[in-house]
């Protein structure tokens, strides 16, 4: 079965500090893509970062980095130097290659609150 | 980056009305688009996969006759909520993938409220 698990319904972080949002996944497919999206209160889904299952290095995009531990099937998102504008819902997602890499499975999400 | 446009962003209408939502890929062609539904404080639930030139593939439990999907061109998919009732009120969001890169790109969503 394909599944994404985000165990933190809500997280608080002090402005300018780093925060890690957890994500574990389950798939029997040897090839898959992992994604993180941000959804602010306005509703749009903003793509943050992508990690391919065969990528040797952890993905980084500005203040976002993905801590990919393949053996543990985890893909945690690290946000460095948190800003007030980072307060939003964050979704971890996976696209197994068996779906042609198109169909995406989403986790339940983690709501991040950044405190001033 | 790839842009997906979704229209309208907000709809309020009476029970029994049919509502059409459009999803367009503006700078790329999308043979496949996806329609999601999202309830408050919940994750995205895939409703159906829209395939250009063929019938949509619906997820289990989604009524095909209630949620009509048409993907007539490589840049446009439409979702029609037929004879909408208050329980159909939700946030609907579409996505498409540009084959030149990995992630799905989302429209800004449509908030549907049925009175």
């Amino acid at each position: 079965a394909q599944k994404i698990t985000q165990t933190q319904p809500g997280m608080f972080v002090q402005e300018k500090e780093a925060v890690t949002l957890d994500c574990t996944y389950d798939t029997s497919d040897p090839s898959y893509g992992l994604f993180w999206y941000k959804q602010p209160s306005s509703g749009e889904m903003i793509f943050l970062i992508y990690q391919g299952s065969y990528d040797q290095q952890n993905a980084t995009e500005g203040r976002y980095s993905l801590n990919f531990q393949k053996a543990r099937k985890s893909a945690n998102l690290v946000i460095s130097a948190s800003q007030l504008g980072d307060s939003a819902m964050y979704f971890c997602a996976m696209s197994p290659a068996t779906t042609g890499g198109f169909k995406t499975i989403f986790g339940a999400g983690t709501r991040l609150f950044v405190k001033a | 980056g790839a842009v997906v446009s979704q229209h309208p962003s907000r709809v309020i209408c009476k029970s029994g009305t049919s509502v059409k939502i459009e999803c367009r890929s503006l700078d790329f062609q999308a043979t496949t688009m996806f329609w999601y539904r999202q309830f408050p404080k919940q994750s995205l639930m895939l409703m159906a996969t829209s395939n250009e030139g063929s019938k949509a593939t619906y997820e289990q439990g989604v009524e095909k006759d209630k949620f009509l999907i048409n993907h007539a061109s490589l840049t446009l998919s439409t979702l029609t909520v037929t004879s909408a009732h208050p329980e159909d009120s939700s946030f609907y969001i579409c996505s498409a993938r540009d084959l030149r890169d990995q992630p799905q790109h989302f429209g800004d969503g449509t908030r549907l409220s049925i009175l």
Side-chain angles (χ1 to χ4, degrees), chain B residues 36-39 44-45 47 67 87-92:
Chain B
Y36 295 86
R37 183 174 182 176
Q38 186 179 30
F39 292 104
L44 279 70
M45 182 190 77
M47 298 175 65
F67 301 101
E87 58 266 28
D88 299 323
S89 298
S90 192
F91 186 65
Y92 295 87

Side-chain angles (χ1 to χ4, degrees), chain A residues 35 37 39 41-45 47 50 89 91 95 100-104 106-109 111, chain B residues 32 34 36 38 41-44 46 49 59 91 93 97 99 102-108 111:
Chain A
F35 308 85
Y37 288 88
Q39 187 179 41
S41 57
S42 49
E44 71 269 27
M45 293 286 283
F47 165 69
Y50 163 78
M89 195 74 167
F91 291 101
S95 286
F102 284 97
K103 203 168 180 177
T104 301
F106 287 86
R111 184 164 293 281
Chain B
T32 304
F34 300 91
Y36 295 86
Q38 186 179 30
K41 300 183 181 180
Q42 294 189 22
S43 187
L44 279 70
L46 180 64
T49 302
E59 295 299 303
F91 186 65
I93 191 165
R97 185 182 163 201
L99 294 179
Q102 282 297 335
Q104 288 192 25
H105 299 277
F106 286 83
D108 287 346
R111 293 193 187 278

Side-chain angles (χ1 to χ4, degrees), chain B:
Chain B
V3 177
V4 174
S5 173
Q6 186 172 340
H7 178 80
S9 59
R10 187 81 165 94
V11 180
I12 302 173
C13 58
K14 294 181 179 179
S15 185
T17 307
S18 291
V19 178
K20 180 185 281 188
I21 303 169
E22 292 187 349
C23 182
R24 294 180 185 272
S25 55
L26 295 187
D27 53 355
F28 66 101
Q29 294 182 333
T31 55
T32 304
M33 292 184 175
F34 300 91
W35 287 97
Y36 295 86
R37 183 174 182 176
Q38 186 179 30
F39 292 104
K41 300 183 181 180
Q42 294 189 22
S43 187
L44 279 70
M45 182 190 77
L46 180 64
M47 298 175 65
T49 302
S50 174
N51 306 299
E52 187 269 334
S54 64
K55 291 182 179 180
T57 305
Y58 289 83
E59 295 299 303
Q60 192 172 9
V62 177
E63 298 177 59
K64 300 178 183 181
D65 296 332
K66 162 66 79 174
F67 301 101
L68 299 179
I69 292 173
N70 184 279
H71 195 151
S73 77
L74 286 171
T75 59
L76 174 64
S77 175
T78 61
L79 168 68
T80 301
V81 184
T82 61
S83 186
H85 288 92
E87 58 266 28
D88 299 323
S89 298
S90 192
F91 186 65
Y92 295 87
I93 191 165
C94 70
S95 73
R97 185 182 163 201
D98 183 346
L99 294 179
R100 295 170 295 180
D101 63 10
Q102 282 297 335
Q104 288 192 25
H105 299 277
F106 286 83
D108 287 346
T110 298
R111 293 193 187 278
L112 176 62
S113 298
I114 308 298
L115 305 177

